[in-house]
Amino acid sequence: MTSQRTMTAFLLVGLFFLTGCKISRETKIETPLFVISWPSSSVGSWEYSLKTERKAVEIRLPVFEIDGEKTPAILSELTVAGMPKTLRNGVTEYIYEGAFLADTNLRLQVKFRVAGNNPIVRFSYLLKTSGGQRLTKKSGADDLVYLSCSTGDFPEVKEIRLSVFNEMIHSCHLTEEKLFEADFTGSGSATGPVLLGSNGETTFLCAYEHDSMYPDHFLEFGLNPDKSVELRAVKGNYFDGQPAAGFSTVWFEAGMVSGDETRMAGQFRKFILKYQTENEESRKPYIFYNSWGRQERVKWAGGQYLTTMNLDYTLKEIDRAHAMGIEYYVLDAGWFNRAGDWGVNLKNFPDGFKQVREKLKGYGMKLGVWMGPAKAAVTSPAFLQNRSCIKTRNGKPDEPSLVWETEESVDMCLVSAYWEYYADVLIRLYKELDIRYFYLDGVGQSGCNDPGHFHGTADNSPAERNLSYGFLLPVYLGKIMEKVCAACPGVIFDFDVTESRRIGVGLQFLANGRYFILNNGPYYKNFDLGESLLPNNCHNIFINPGPARTWFMRSVLDYDKWIPSNLFVANYQPDDPGNSQMINLASLVLGQNSIWGEILKTSPEGVALFHDILEKYKEVREEVVMADLVHTGRPGDTPEIYEKIDSETGKGVVVIFAHSKGHFSYITKQAVSETFWKSEGVEVKWVSDRHVKIDAFFEGASAAIVFFGTE
C-alpha cells in the first residue's frame, strides 16, 4: 500500500510537470568513478550513477512535517550556490539550493562532498526560510524522512551495527545482520547506521552519521514491502515548534562499487580514513602512553589515584616512554586544578608543565590530557559564569560530586551556550600548554531537560526536551571539535565509550576524532562474580601479565573491516615477562597503538624490546592502517592469525598468536614486499613470486611478528 507521504510526493511531482522547472547544467557532479545528477523529470531526488556498470540509485530528498503538514522537498528550481570548494583533505564540496514547489518561502540547501578516487559521497541538507515556518509533530512523534531509495536491484541486504555493547568483553563491537524478505513489511526496521545492498556484481551502501548505543537509537531505516527503505527520525531529531530556518540534518553517505561486500568495505574504510574528516591528524597512527593504568595500580596497592600524579614521577615516565618508542604522553585524571577551568594542578606541577613541555619537545613527543567535558567545579569561573547552562532534570540542578579526587563538580549541558565556552578552553590549552591530544570521558546520552537550553523550550514536555538533548549531544560534541580543529589544526580527540549507557560508537564522532574503545575489558560484575575479589576494591579481572587481557583488547578488531583499527584506541601493557610483552606488542601493531601500566617497572630488556619492535612498526604503520584485514581464528584460539598487508606496496605485518606449544604455518594472502623483519622463532620462505610461507615455533603462550617492507 502506498504511504500517504509517498502519495503526496507523487501529486507534487505531477504539479511539477505542469509548472516546469529550472535545473542549471552545472548541477551535475562527475568523478572518474560516479556521477551525481538531478533527473530532468523531477527535483524531488538526485541520482547516484556508477560509471563502470551503468548502475544508478535514486535518492529522494527529505520529507518534513512543517506547520502540521507533510512537506516533501520537491523543488521548483535548482541552482549552484557558489563555486566548488576544495577542503583540507582534498575533498571537493558542492552546494546547491532550490525553492520548495509547495512553498516558495522555503528553500533547501544540498551539500555534497566527494573525492575523485573514492566511491563514497557525503551529503547533508539545510532548511532556509523567509517566513516563520516551524517543524511540528502532529502525531506527537518525530515526522521526518531524511531520504529514501530502493533496494530492489540488491537482493542481499545487510544491516551493519557499530554500537552493540557486549557485556562479556565489556565493550561496543561491530555486528552484521542479514535482512530477509520478511523484514520488508512496512513495520520492519534496521538501526544501522550502515545499510548494505548487493547483487553479487554491484554493491550499494547508505549510512548516516549519528552516535548512540544500540538499541537506544535516534534514526533508523524503515523497510517497505516494495523493497524501498526510508531513513527516518525516531526520536529527538527536532522538537515540536522548532524554527525551520537553519534546521540542519546530520551527514549521510551513499556509494556504489562494482564488486561484492568485501570491495565495498575496503572502499568505505578508505573513505573514513582519508575523506570523511578534514582533521587529518586524527587519522595518523601515532603511538600513545596513558597514565591511567599506572594510577589504577597505585590505587589498588593502597594509594590514591593522584599519588604519582606529580612532576618528578611524570618526568621519569616521559624518559621511559621515549626510550620505549612512545610519541604521545597522556596524563589522565588529576593533572588539573579543578574541572571546568582545566588549569594545571600547581600543587603537583609547580611550574605549570614547563619542564614537562620542555622534555617532551626535546624528545619530539607531544602532550595529551584526560578531560570530563561536561564537568565544572562549583568554585570555577566555568560554572560561575555559566550557571544557566547547568544540567537539570525536572528543574533540579545536577548534584556536585568529586571528580577523581579533585574538587566537587557538577555536570554542565553541552547542548547550550556552554559548548562554545568549553571549546574556547580547549583552544587555550592547545595554545598555552602545547596540549595536542584531548581524551574526552564520562558523557552519557541522557539527563538534561532544561527548557532554557538548545534542546527545547517551555512549550515542550520534559521528556521531549530530554530526547532532543540525547540526539543533539553528539552533534554538539562535533561542533566543539570543529571549532577547536579550525583554530588548532594539529589536535587529536578521543572519546571514551568504555561503559554502557553512554554515547555509543557511530560515524559522527569519527568525522573529527577517534574512539577510546577499551581500557581493562570486563569487570567481575560482568560475570556475576561480585563487586570485587581483589584488595582495595579492585573490580578489574584481566590486569595481570599474560595473554588473557589481550583477548578482550583484540575482540574489537572486527571494526577494521569497515573502519580502520587505529581509530579505536585500546591500551596494552608493558609488563614482564618477555612472552607477555610479545603478545601485547603483536596486538598493538595491528593498529590500536597505545599502552598503559607501570612502565617504570618494565625491565631494561623489556624497554629495549618495545623500542626495537615499535621502531620497525613505525616503518610500515601507514601501510598497516591502509591494509584490509585478513584473519584466521578468534581471540583465544590457537593459532590466531592476522594479516595486514597493503595491496599496492606489499608492506605491512603478519601476526600469529598461540597459547600452547606448537608449530604453526601461514601463507600470505596478499603479495608481500621482498624485504622483511621477523621475530625470534620464525622462518619465512618464498612459495611464489610475491607470497611467503611463515612458520612459527612456540614453546608456550606468545606471539610471532613479521614486518614486510623493512629489514
Side-chain angles (χ1 to χ4, degrees), residues 19 29 35 136 139 180 191 203 216 242 324 362 373 417 471 571 637:
T19 59
I29 301 172
V35 176
T136 55
S139 67
F180 295 90
T191 300
T203 303
D216 187 20
Q242 180 173 337
M324 296 175 75
F471 172 79
N571 286 283
D637 284 351

Side-chain angles (χ1 to χ4, degrees), residues 515-526:
Y515 285 106
F516 192 97
I517 189 71
L518 249 170
N519 46 40
N520 287 304
Y523 304 132
Y524 285 107
K525 63 184 179 182
N526 293 104

